[in-house]
Amino acid sequence: MTTPQVHTVLPLRQATDPRQAGVKAATLATLAARGLPVPDGVVIPTGVFARAVDAAREPPTARLGVPDGVLTALAEAVRSWGDVALAVRASAVNEDLADSSYAGLYTSVLHVHGPEALREAVLRCWTSAFADRVTAYSRGMDGDARPAMAVLVQPMVPATSAGVAFTANPVTGERAVVVIDAVPGLAERMVSGAVTPERWTVRAGRASREPGTDTEALDAASALAVADLARRVERLRGTPQDVEWALAGGDVVLLQARPVTALPEPPEPPVHPVPVPVEVPAGYWTRESSHAPLPWTRLTHAVYQNRLPAIRTAVGELGLLLDGVDIRDIGGLEYLRVVPLGGKAPPRLPSWAVPLAFRLVPALRRRVRECVAAIRADVPMRNIHRWTQEWQPELEARIAGLRDVDLDVLDDDALDTHLQSTLSLSDDGSSIHFRLQLALAMVLGELGHVCRDLLGWDDQAWLRLVAGTSARSTEPARALAELAAHVAACPRLRLLVEEPAPVADVLARDTDFAARFSAYLRRYGRRALSYEFAEPALDERPELVLALLRDQLAADYDPMARGRELAEWRATAAAEARAALAGRDFAGTERFETALSNAVEGYPVREDNEFYTISTPGALVRRAVLELGRRLTRRGQLPAPDAAFHLRPAELRAALRLGHDLRELVALRAGERAWAMANPGPPSYGSPPPSPPPMTSLPAEARFANEAFLWLLDRILGAPRDAAAEPLTGIAASPGSHTGPVRVIHDETEFDRLRAGEVLVCPTTSPVWSVLFPNVGALVTDTGGTLSHPAIIAREYAVPAVVATGDATTRLRDGQVVTVDGTTGQVRVVR
């Protein structure tokens, strides 16, 4: 093992190595990088402590001193905080571990003012490493006789209340509850015993206060916010957590997190990471993070194998010069490569030989002939027409037949048949989806090329011509706006919604609203929030829908006004184009008008088809799998219903028939996924292939079709910008500017954290995220291009957006105020 480099002082956000920063500081640094609200800080690393101990004589506490250079560097590091009191806390390498907490054994010094007090506080933290109680505990833990200690320095949090939160009941071991102890002011009053804390329990989205204290440290809303923070920490760290928190200025901040030790044995075995072999196939593979930012569960991975034949069919239908794509798990994460025609990369040819190859190689000659025929027959627009006239009605009818089946009353054979029907729906939806995507490459590519060639327009300019036409993207929000209008007209109901009260209480108060709310969930809620089937569908989270409704009331969202704004965009852009083309040759004008007409018809299909082809079939598959999971759990074959997602559909169906015990297998699969999450692979493997040969010798139709395919890939996937760029820069995806506080949302489980007017910062979005956009001030993503899902949704809501920043989710944090310029592609931190 290499020895960590010694620094005098480290910024907290760089102090992620526990060997340098101790476990306490390293944990906070890691959680801050994931967007959790951790106060700023600096760390005196363990190496400085080690040098000080070496310089002292035995016993070390007698002559231990803080070098002047360390104090100078520390004073310089904290100067930007102003004249504030400091919290100085020991951060040892051996504390806050799963099997040894050392809780309360090391020193923390609060309310530190001035250089001499700071020197004394650092010394007190250092010398606590040699206290008798620490030495005795270390012997009991078989600890190393040589301590390793860092010191964490942060500004004092002006807490109105503080305390601890356990994400499992520390007495009973129950995992479905968060237990909160809270006191007014700082938590040291609770630790010292000066005041008895009030206790709250949060279960199933409802907070209740236990009787027995007279303090009023929290209300129900604050308790829910504390529980939300604690659960986020638990999700990121993978085990039940003991979280120290404080409430300041109405916001919850994180002060410390450590595993809960000595919990009673949980009903389910804990997940132990299992290393996954990293076997890289030949070829050039790139991470597919736009749709799969996290490792798939085994069930999701198996279902999505339907993409490979679907893409191959779509590519062949248009005669493109490739066989499709290959998708593989490498180290548990999804990578893809483009498969050349014939399966092997062609030899690099001199430019003079390329036209000969297109004429003389039978496979190339046949494919070019097929491509020319497909474009001349206008297969792309034919498929778009088939969507509205044939495919969508058929899928809608099949969905309606599956959506309302009462799974509880089905016997095992009928449930097995139902699962097969949902999987077949998913397969067929995937095939249609990719045929439409390639059709849109041709249709939108033609408008993009026309506007580039005739008008000199970039993507930002020509996309104005079609903005606001994707009605399905905005339909759920418009329907929610109708619900909001109903609530706004009923003062007592509005008060209940804004309070906020539990969903059951709100629905019980107004039967008319309850019926409307239920209809909304049935129509728009039974679709997957995520591409991952293991994640809950929207109708499984009614409290989230109620929160979105509450935010629409606060934002006063007016879908009609938003629609008029987008219509003005389109009209203005079309008028500019026609004015620029006036007086030119008729052929150019006719080409523009045809391309515009086709794009206006086709552009909405990019997002609208996903409702029927991907997200709703995904929710139906999930619902059937969960019912299998419940039955297998009752029979002792699985540890919990959710464990079913670690199995392939064939394995689930066999277990239903044959009664196999699958508990060991799902533990292995869960461990492999946990390992893959903790060990993300590089952006790519292998050497990039050479650039495709020039297509100038192809017939015009074949040249355009293949160029349009590459054009669409680039605009869906995008290319992340330089991670070191200042200011933060990406692709300008939706025009306009907005200044507001950041809210980092890593996945669908965190939707309820977003508040009206905030800047949504996320890795990417799926189309279902559109339910958030009436309340979003601006959007910033790590990945994507101008025709990615987040970019299209942002334009449909006229929300300024910057995509493909590369690392916005790690560079920005909750509460920072930023200005997002969706016209220039820049994100500037205001404060």
Side-chain angles (χ1 to χ4, degrees):
M1 179 181 294
T2 58
T3 302
Q5 182 181 355
V6 174
H7 298 272
T8 304
V9 174
L10 281 173
L12 176 60
R13 290 179 180 273
Q14 296 178 15
T16 56
D17 185 348
R19 298 173 302 162
Q20 280 188 317
V23 175
K24 180 185 301 176
T27 297
L28 289 176
T30 302
L31 293 173
R34 292 301 306 272
L36 270 67
V38 176
D40 203 357
V42 295
V43 176
I44 303 173
T46 54
V48 176
F49 170 74
R51 290 203 306 266
V53 171
D54 289 339
R57 296 181 179 178
E58 295 293 333
T61 54
R63 307 177 70 87
L64 201 60
V66 183
D68 290 339
V70 173
L71 280 178
T72 301
L74 186 58
E76 180 65 27
V78 305
R79 182 171 298 152
S80 63
W81 303 339
D83 185 21
V84 297
L86 303 176
V88 182
R89 308 166 72 194
S91 179
V93 170
N94 58 357
E95 69 175 333
D96 291 354
L97 303 176
D99 57 352
S100 56
S101 71
Y102 284 76
L105 298 186
Y106 293 116
T107 293
S108 292
V109 186
L110 306 181
H111 307 291
V112 175
H113 283 278
E116 283 306 312
L118 184 56
R119 181 197 296 270
E120 178 63 24
V122 172
L123 276 176
R124 288 178 60 187
C125 290
W126 279 355
T127 55
S128 68
F130 303 97
D132 290 342
R133 57 184 181 172
V134 173
T135 304
Y137 188 88
S138 297
R139 291 194 189 104
M141 291 291 151
D142 294 325
D144 190 346
R146 170 91 176 195
M149 173 72 74
V151 176
L152 170 64
V153 181
Q154 295 173 288
M156 287 290 297
V157 174
T160 55
S161 61
V164 296
F166 300 89
T167 61
N169 189 307
V171 177
T172 67
E174 181 189 357
R175 271 38 172 191
V177 66
V178 177
V179 178
I180 303 170
D181 286 341
V183 295
L186 295 173
E188 62 176 326
R189 302 172 63 226
M190 178 177 69
V191 175
S192 67
V195 63
T196 301
E198 64 185 41
R199 171 156 288 189
W200 288 79
T201 58
V202 177
R203 182 184 285 104
R206 187 165 189 169
S208 58
R209 176 177 161 171
E210 296 183 7
T213 59
D214 296 327
T215 60
E216 293 185 358
L218 295 177
D219 56 19
S222 298
L224 289 171
V226 171
D228 173 68
L229 174 63
R231 285 296 189 205
R232 291 173 63 201
V233 174
E234 181 186 57
R235 283 197 298 270
L236 292 173
R237 305 204 71 204
T239 60
Q241 296 290 301
D242 169 359
V243 174
E244 291 185 18
W245 57 271
L247 194 63
D251 295 323
V252 184
V253 297
L254 175 63
L255 303 179
Q256 188 170 346
R258 52 181 168 248
V260 181
T261 56
L263 269 179
E265 191 66 21
E268 300 176 26
V271 175
H272 299 290
V274 177
V276 177
V278 181
E279 300 173 352
V280 183
Y284 179 62
W285 299 86
T286 57
R287 258 301 266 125
E288 213 298 76
S289 55
S290 63
H291 294 85
L294 297 176
W296 296 129
T297 59
R298 199 59 59 97
L299 183 127
T300 303
H301 177 266
V303 173
Y304 282 162
Q305 290 304 300
N306 61 23
R307 293 172 296 174
L308 300 180
I311 295 172
R312 187 181 183 95
T313 297
V315 165
E317 183 177 39
L318 290 177
L320 300 182
L321 297 177
L322 67 153
D323 273 350
V325 300
D326 194 3
I327 300 174
R328 301 283 184 91
D329 266 12
I330 303 177
L333 293 160
E334 184 163 281
Y335 287 79
L336 63 79
R337 73 179 182 100
V338 174
V339 181
L341 194 63
K344 294 182 180 180
R348 188 188 297 271
L349 297 175
S351 58
W352 62 265
V354 173
L356 289 176
F358 284 133
R359 292 179 191 150
L360 299 179
V361 177
L364 284 175
R365 190 171 64 246
R366 182 175 61 253
R367 204 60 173 245
V368 169
R369 187 168 59 247
E370 292 169 349
C371 185
V372 170
I375 297 302
R376 288 179 178 174
D378 204 5
V379 170
M381 283 306 297
R382 186 179 70 194
N383 281 347
I384 288 172
H385 294 150
R386 287 189 71 185
W387 168 250
T388 56
Q389 297 166 12
E390 176 187 344
W391 290 336
Q392 179 182 335
E394 178 192 338
L395 290 173
E396 194 163 15
R398 290 171 67 181
I399 287 167
L402 294 169
R403 183 171 51 199
D404 295 326
V405 172
D406 186 351
L407 303 186
D408 289 339
V409 304
L410 300 181
D411 62 23
D412 285 357
D413 288 341
L415 179 59
D416 181 51
T417 300
H418 178 82
L419 173 62
Q420 291 183 73
S421 297
T422 65
L423 293 170
S424 175
L425 176 68
S426 177
D427 287 347
D428 294 343
S430 185
S431 177
I432 293 170
H433 176 78
F434 286 107
R435 292 175 74 179
L436 290 171
Q437 296 311 300
L438 291 195
L440 289 169
M442 309 299 118
V443 172
L444 299 181
E446 172 67 3
L447 181 60
H449 284 66
V450 167
C451 290
R452 180 197 64 192
D453 297 342
L454 300 183
L455 301 170
W457 283 8
D458 60 11
D459 288 351
Q460 186 84 269
W462 76 260
L463 282 167
R464 294 178 300 154
L465 292 164
V466 291
T469 60
S470 185
R472 180 66 66 184
S473 296
T474 55
E475 185 178 326
R478 294 198 307 272
L480 200 62
E482 293 176 6
L483 269 181
H486 174 80
V487 172
C490 306
R492 286 184 296 179
L493 178 60
R494 178 168 187 159
L495 186 63
L496 201 62
V497 169
E498 292 178 336
E499 194 170 281
V503 174
D505 292 355
V506 177
L507 300 182
R509 184 65 62 89
D510 188 311
T511 55
D512 184 24
F513 174 73
R516 293 168 182 256
F517 191 78
S518 177
Y520 181 89
L521 290 181
R522 182 181 178 278
R523 173 63 176 161
Y524 302 107
R526 292 186 183 174
R527 55 183 181 145
L529 282 172
S530 165
Y531 294 112
E532 169 55 66
F533 294 132
E535 296 296 335
L538 189 61
D539 67 340
E540 296 175 66
R541 300 185 60 189
E543 75 287 347
L544 170 61
V545 178
L546 196 63
L548 295 172
L549 178 62
R550 186 183 310 125
D551 283 346
Q552 277 210 16
L553 288 168
D556 197 22
Y557 172 65
D558 184 348
M560 299 301 293
R562 193 67 56 89
R564 288 192 295 272
E565 179 182 356
L566 292 168
E568 289 175 8
W569 279 16
R570 295 195 301 275
T572 300
E576 290 174 5
R578 289 171 179 135
L581 291 171
R584 298 194 190 183
D585 64 281
F586 174 76
T589 301
E590 185 180 33
R591 183 185 172 199
F592 169 79
E593 294 294 348
T594 300
L596 177 60
S597 175
N598 289 342
V600 167
E601 183 177 355
Y603 179 77
V605 177
R606 167 83 176 105
E607 292 296 298
D608 295 357
N609 87 87
E610 200 273 351
F611 184 90
Y612 299 101
T613 61
I614 304 295
S615 63
T616 302
L620 292 172
V621 171
R622 170 181 166 79
R623 186 165 169 258
V625 168
L626 274 178
E627 179 57 29
L628 263 76
R630 281 189 282 270
R631 296 188 187 191
L632 297 180
T633 301
R634 288 196 298 267
R635 298 167 189 176
Q637 296 170 255
L638 289 179
D642 280 352
F645 295 102
H646 292 300
L647 300 166
R648 300 183 182 93
E651 293 168 334
L652 275 171
R653 295 179 59 215
L656 191 66
R657 295 192 311 272
L658 304 174
H660 300 317
D661 187 337
L662 299 171
R663 287 174 293 185
E664 288 189 10
L665 179 58
V666 299
L668 172 66
R669 299 266 177 83
E672 289 174 338
R673 187 168 188 249
W675 185 89
M677 284 186 171
N679 295 274
S684 64
Y685 287 105
S687 300
S691 300
M695 299 183 188
T696 52
S697 58
L698 288 174
E701 297 91 344
R703 181 172 67 250
F704 165 73
N706 285 279
E707 289 176 348
F709 170 74
L710 298 175
W711 176 90
L712 180 68
L713 277 185
D714 179 63
R715 280 150 182 79
I716 291 177
L717 301 178
R721 295 320 196 233
D722 180 5
E726 289 291 349
L728 185 63
T729 304
I731 295 173
S734 181
S737 178
H738 175 79
T739 299
V742 164
R743 182 67 67 183
V744 180
I745 303 292
H746 288 94
D747 55 44
E748 294 76 11
T749 64
E750 300 182 338
F751 277 4
D752 50 3
R753 299 179 51 243
L754 185 69
R755 297 294 176 266
E758 291 181 330
V759 175
L760 171 60
V761 179
C762 57
T764 185
T765 74
S766 73
V768 185
W769 287 49
S770 64
V771 295
L772 300 178
F773 276 69
N775 309 319
V776 170
L779 172 71
V780 181
T781 69
D782 289 342
T783 63
T786 52
L787 287 174
S788 63
H789 294 306
I792 291 176
I793 297 170
R795 286 192 295 273
E796 292 305 295
Y797 286 89
V799 168
V802 176
V803 299
T805 62
D807 62 349
T809 54
T810 58
R811 289 178 61 179
L812 301 176
R813 63 181 186 273
D814 285 355
Q816 278 184 307
V817 177
V818 299
T819 296
V820 178
D821 191 328
T823 304
T824 65
Q826 291 189 337
V827 182
R828 286 187 169 83
V829 177
V830 177
R831 63 178 184 274

